[in-house]
Amino acid sequence: MNREKFLNQLQKTENFCSLGDIAARCGIQLPEVAEQIRSLKREGYEFELQNGTKIRLKRGYLSRSEIADFLKSNRQIFVVPSVDSTNIWAAENSGKAEHGSVFLAEYQTSGRGRRGKSWESSFGTGLFFSVLEYPKLPPWKIPQLTLCAAMAVCFGIYDVTGMLPQIKWPNDIVMEGRKLCGILAELKAVSEHVEHLVIGIGLNVNQDEFSEEISHVATSLKQLTGKEWNRNHLVASICNRMETYESNLLKNCFPMETYRKLCVTLGKKVTVITAEQEFVAEAVTVTEEGGLTVRFPDGSEKTVTSGEVSVRGMLGYV
Ligand code: BTN
């Protein structure tokens, strides 16, 4: 029996079972059950024991079939225990995997963040996934697609938890002044032709803690609510919301007002950080192209793009 089928069988089995029961359910011999379990443990999966004789896979791991059940339309879904970065993996599949394919990993060895940073990716707690798209849109509209991804994350979280987070321009998802989710969109375009877009989403779901480096700015849904959340449901809800935004975008309909309402940066005094300098200004609006317009004390205005600057609130991260 291959690893995926075995894992799938364990995920479907709610009750504690003896190894013999598992062997019978899977139609394999005991030594193979023992070897498959050892191999899953090496990958990072954890098991729960009952009376030292019965076993079951810890609940809540990523499951293709559970994600598919929550999706409103079909998509290719790929799940692995570990990968360097789901963004790299998705881009490698450009031209092979279908539009809208979702690539998920329980763990990333080199999760990538914006502006050359890394993304903390501990096994089985966060949600690390990338959506591969072949957008039928001109390159100048791609930033709108990334803003849509940010809104899809907010409303996808809302659909599952009832909490509506906000957006720190351009596409950090924040709650109670801390970062809950980051989005790294990577585009491959040849002159005016968009070859593919990879939208990488790192959502902090069931983490109890973060490294010292980011613990003062990061938060997770579990830290916010004291509860664990179903990552399969969350990823599907985000993809469902994304689908609606994308089909509207193809009809030239971009919900700028919704984005502006969710954007916690607007109306705030922010520090804009470029490669060469830092300046303080008030964030006034987000343009149709996704740029942030800021106003200086003398009344003059400037629009900056997410590629060239990063923005910090004056009192902490947001
Ligand atoms: C940010 O810096 O705010 C963006 C973080 C994006 C992280 C996600 S995790 C899944 C996908 N794969 C990566 O390597 N990065 C993105």
Side-chain angles (χ1 to χ4, degrees):
M1 180 177 231
N2 74 24
R3 172 206 169 274
E4 182 162 7
K5 282 205 173 120
F6 183 75
L7 179 60
N8 204 10
Q9 184 63 47
L10 292 183
Q11 285 179 314
K12 281 199 302 207
T13 312
E14 300 256 318
N15 297 332
F16 284 92
C17 291
S18 68
L19 295 191
D21 289 340
I22 299 175
R25 273 168 198 262
C26 297
I28 55 177
Q29 300 297 312
L30 263 181
E32 193 186 338
V33 172
E35 182 44 41
Q36 293 265 21
I37 290 178
R38 270 197 298 276
S39 153
L40 288 173
K41 282 185 177 169
R42 278 195 297 272
E43 288 174 5
Y45 290 91
E46 290 179 29
F47 289 80
E48 296 166 335
L49 265 180
Q50 195 182 54
N51 305 329
T53 55
K54 293 189 167 182
I55 192 169
R56 83 171 174 192
L57 184 70
K58 221 177 115 187
R59 305 287 87 195
Y61 288 114
L62 296 171
S63 148
R64 277 179 55 194
S65 60
E66 199 181 335
I67 296 171
D69 286 346
F70 284 118
L71 282 175
K72 65 178 186 199
S73 41
N74 275 344
R75 283 176 192 256
Q76 282 186 306
I77 304 163
F78 302 94
V79 180
V80 287
S82 163
V83 73
D84 46 3
S85 149
T86 57
N87 267 31
I88 298 177
W89 179 28
E92 284 168 355
N93 279 281
S94 174
K96 292 180 260 175
E98 289 168 11
H99 172 84
S101 295
V102 191
F103 297 80
L104 302 104
E106 291 286 5
Y107 171 68
Q108 298 184 116
T109 53
S110 332
R112 301 199 299 200
R114 287 177 60 229
R115 311 177 68 76
K117 293 194 180 145
S118 60
W119 187 258
E120 222 168 277
S121 314
S122 56
F123 193 97
T125 53
L127 202 40
F128 317 113
F129 69 101
S130 303
V131 182
L132 174 64
E133 311 210 323
Y134 310 116
K136 290 188 185 67
L137 292 168
W140 70 268
K141 278 211 170 179
I142 297 299
Q144 292 191 352
L145 203 49
T146 350
L147 300 188
C148 283
M151 291 189 279
V153 171
C154 289
F155 285 108
I157 291 173
Y158 174 78
D159 292 338
V160 176
T161 67
M163 291 189 312
L164 184 61
Q166 288 178 295
I167 301 170
K168 172 177 174 284
W169 179 87
N171 45 31
D172 282 357
I173 311 302
V174 297
M175 193 91 204
E176 295 183 6
R178 284 166 183 257
K179 182 157 167 174
L180 185 60
C181 171
I183 299 177
L184 176 66
E186 295 181 294
L187 173 72
K188 182 156 186 225
V190 180
S191 62
E192 281 306 284
H193 173 70
V194 174
E195 230 161 70
H196 71 244
L197 174 71
V198 171
I199 302 176
I201 298 178
L203 171 60
N204 301 329
V205 184
N206 292 326
Q207 287 98 328
D208 288 308
E209 53 186 18
F210 295 93
S211 70
E212 217 178 294
E213 221 179 319
I214 60 165
S215 62
H216 59 294
V217 285
T219 190
S220 70
L221 289 175
K222 185 172 180 193
Q223 286 179 327
L224 288 163
T225 61
K227 290 204 283 196
E228 297 221 338
W229 293 93
N230 182 333
R231 293 177 302 148
N232 296 311
H233 192 186
L234 281 162
V235 71
S237 300
I238 293 168
C239 290
N240 288 341
R241 286 284 187 164
M242 211 127 97
E243 193 176 315
T244 310
Y245 283 120
E246 279 169 15
S247 67
N248 287 340
L249 209 53
L250 285 174
K251 292 180 227 140
N252 264 328
C253 172
F254 176 73
M256 195 72 228
E257 273 323 300
T258 309
Y259 180 87
R260 289 186 183 131
K261 276 195 193 123
L262 288 173
C263 184
V264 71
T265 311
L266 296 182
K268 283 224 167 74
K269 230 181 184 186
V270 292
T271 306
V272 180
I273 305 156
T274 73
E276 298 84 33
Q277 53 167 175
E278 283 189 26
F279 52 87
V280 173
E282 186 192 336
V284 207
T285 193
V286 175
T287 66
E288 294 290 326
E289 292 78 33
L292 179 72
T293 304
V294 295
R295 186 178 297 136
F296 295 99
D298 67 2
S300 64
E301 291 186 354
K302 179 183 166 81
T303 297
V304 293
T305 63
S306 60
E308 56 183 28
V309 303
S310 95
V311 162
R312 284 271 171 278
M314 299 297 289
L315 303 167
Y317 168 71
V318 173

PDB file of all heavy atoms in Angstrom, residues 28 70 93 128 259 274 290:
ATOM      1  N   ILE A  28      -3.090  -5.155   4.653  1.00  0.00           N
ATOM      2  CA  ILE A  28      -1.633  -5.396   4.586  1.00  0.00           C
ATOM      3  C   ILE A  28      -1.198  -6.159   5.845  1.00  0.00           C
ATOM      4  O   ILE A  28      -1.991  -6.324   6.772  1.00  0.00           O
ATOM      5  CB  ILE A  28      -0.833  -4.065   4.445  1.00  0.00           C
ATOM      6  CG1 ILE A  28      -1.181  -3.082   5.590  1.00  0.00           C
ATOM      7  CG2 ILE A  28      -1.083  -3.424   3.105  1.00  0.00           C
ATOM      8  CD1 ILE A  28      -0.392  -1.785   5.568  1.00  0.00           C
ATOM      9  N   PHE A  70     -14.607  20.500   1.186  1.00  0.00           N
ATOM     10  CA  PHE A  70     -14.998  21.872   1.537  1.00  0.00           C
ATOM     11  C   PHE A  70     -14.987  22.828   0.336  1.00  0.00           C
ATOM     12  O   PHE A  70     -15.511  23.935   0.415  1.00  0.00           O
ATOM     13  CB  PHE A  70     -14.055  22.448   2.596  1.00  0.00           C
ATOM     14  CG  PHE A  70     -14.279  21.931   3.997  1.00  0.00           C
ATOM     15  CD1 PHE A  70     -13.290  21.231   4.673  1.00  0.00           C
ATOM     16  CD2 PHE A  70     -15.474  22.166   4.658  1.00  0.00           C
ATOM     17  CE1 PHE A  70     -13.483  20.768   5.969  1.00  0.00           C
ATOM     18  CE2 PHE A  70     -15.678  21.714   5.964  1.00  0.00           C
ATOM     19  CZ  PHE A  70     -14.680  21.011   6.622  1.00  0.00           C
ATOM     20  N   ASN A  93       5.864  23.657 -11.202  1.00  0.00           N
ATOM     21  CA  ASN A  93       4.767  22.937 -11.870  1.00  0.00           C
ATOM     22  C   ASN A  93       4.010  23.790 -12.876  1.00  0.00           C
ATOM     23  O   ASN A  93       2.971  23.369 -13.393  1.00  0.00           O
ATOM     24  CB  ASN A  93       3.818  22.366 -10.829  1.00  0.00           C
ATOM     25  CG  ASN A  93       4.375  21.084 -10.269  1.00  0.00           C
ATOM     26  OD1 ASN A  93       4.270  20.042 -10.911  1.00  0.00           O
ATOM     27  ND2 ASN A  93       5.032  21.167  -9.132  1.00  0.00           N
ATOM     28  N   PHE A 128       0.639  26.527   5.147  1.00  0.00           N
ATOM     29  CA  PHE A 128       1.612  27.027   4.164  1.00  0.00           C
ATOM     30  C   PHE A 128       1.160  26.498   2.813  1.00  0.00           C
ATOM     31  O   PHE A 128       1.255  25.287   2.575  1.00  0.00           O
ATOM     32  CB  PHE A 128       3.026  26.514   4.476  1.00  0.00           C
ATOM     33  CG  PHE A 128       3.367  26.571   5.938  1.00  0.00           C
ATOM     34  CD1 PHE A 128       3.546  25.408   6.661  1.00  0.00           C
ATOM     35  CD2 PHE A 128       3.474  27.781   6.593  1.00  0.00           C
ATOM     36  CE1 PHE A 128       3.824  25.441   8.014  1.00  0.00           C
ATOM     37  CE2 PHE A 128       3.746  27.837   7.948  1.00  0.00           C
ATOM     38  CZ  PHE A 128       3.916  26.662   8.671  1.00  0.00           C
ATOM     39  N   TYR A 259     -11.799  46.634  -0.007  1.00  0.00           N
ATOM     40  CA  TYR A 259     -10.381  46.599   0.375  1.00  0.00           C
ATOM     41  C   TYR A 259     -10.056  47.783   1.285  1.00  0.00           C
ATOM     42  O   TYR A 259      -9.427  47.625   2.329  1.00  0.00           O
ATOM     43  CB  TYR A 259      -9.466  46.610  -0.865  1.00  0.00           C
ATOM     44  CG  TYR A 259      -8.004  46.570  -0.450  1.00  0.00           C
ATOM     45  CD1 TYR A 259      -7.366  45.354  -0.228  1.00  0.00           C
ATOM     46  CD2 TYR A 259      -7.292  47.747  -0.206  1.00  0.00           C
ATOM     47  CE1 TYR A 259      -6.045  45.312   0.216  1.00  0.00           C
ATOM     48  CE2 TYR A 259      -5.985  47.715   0.245  1.00  0.00           C
ATOM     49  CZ  TYR A 259      -5.365  46.491   0.445  1.00  0.00           C
ATOM     50  OH  TYR A 259      -4.071  46.454   0.905  1.00  0.00           O
ATOM     51  N   THR A 274      12.146  52.965   2.193  1.00  0.00           N
ATOM     52  CA  THR A 274      12.630  52.568   0.861  1.00  0.00           C
ATOM     53  C   THR A 274      14.066  52.068   1.031  1.00  0.00           C
ATOM     54  O   THR A 274      14.608  52.099   2.138  1.00  0.00           O
ATOM     55  CB  THR A 274      12.643  53.758  -0.129  1.00  0.00           C
ATOM     56  OG1 THR A 274      13.716  54.625   0.237  1.00  0.00           O
ATOM     57  CG2 THR A 274      11.347  54.535  -0.115  1.00  0.00           C
ATOM     58  N   GLY A 290      -3.363  49.499  -6.830  1.00  0.00           N
ATOM     59  CA  GLY A 290      -2.843  48.865  -5.612  1.00  0.00           C
ATOM     60  C   GLY A 290      -1.738  49.638  -4.912  1.00  0.00           C
ATOM     61  O   GLY A 290      -1.161  49.159  -3.936  1.00  0.00           O
TER      62      GLY A 290
END
